[in-house]
Amino acid sequence: SDLSYKVLQSSDILTLGRGLYYAYPSCPNLPPVAGQAFWISINGVDDNYKIIEAIPAGTGFKYFFKAKKLSGTWGGWEKYSAD
């Protein structure tokens, strides 16, 4: 398996397949943190069932985000404390 991160300049996060990514702030549908790049991990069974984890790429952030796609419907970003 490929464990290296793929760099994304403008890809829509919600359409990506399983893998590890570094997403620039210009990518659509990132978590709601203006101007922030993210480390993204996408795990899922298929296009209808996925979990996306997004960790801010900057320093000093003590939280991360998760989004789920169940039965083809996105549930939106949820913020979690990293503590």
Side-chain angles (χ1 to χ4, degrees):
S1 84
D2 180 10
L3 296 177
S4 63
Y5 282 85
K6 296 164 190 76
V7 177
L8 307 173
Q9 298 273 343
S10 61
S11 297
D12 184 346
I13 301 306
L14 301 183
T15 64
L16 297 172
R18 185 178 201 157
L20 303 171
Y21 304 91
Y22 178 86
Y24 279 90
S26 54
C27 291
N29 294 313
L30 286 173
V33 181
Q36 181 60 51
F38 284 89
W39 296 103
I40 304 285
S41 172
I42 299 177
N43 195 355
V45 177
D46 56 30
D47 284 339
N48 288 314
Y49 296 92
K50 293 181 186 180
I51 295 175
I52 300 176
E53 295 179 328
I55 301 168
T59 59
F61 292 98
K62 296 187 183 224
Y63 56 84
F64 63 96
F65 294 89
K66 282 189 179 185
K68 296 176 187 175
K69 186 177 186 183
L70 302 173
S71 299
T73 304
W74 283 103
W77 291 107
E78 293 182 30
K79 187 176 181 180
Y80 296 88
S81 173
D83 292 334

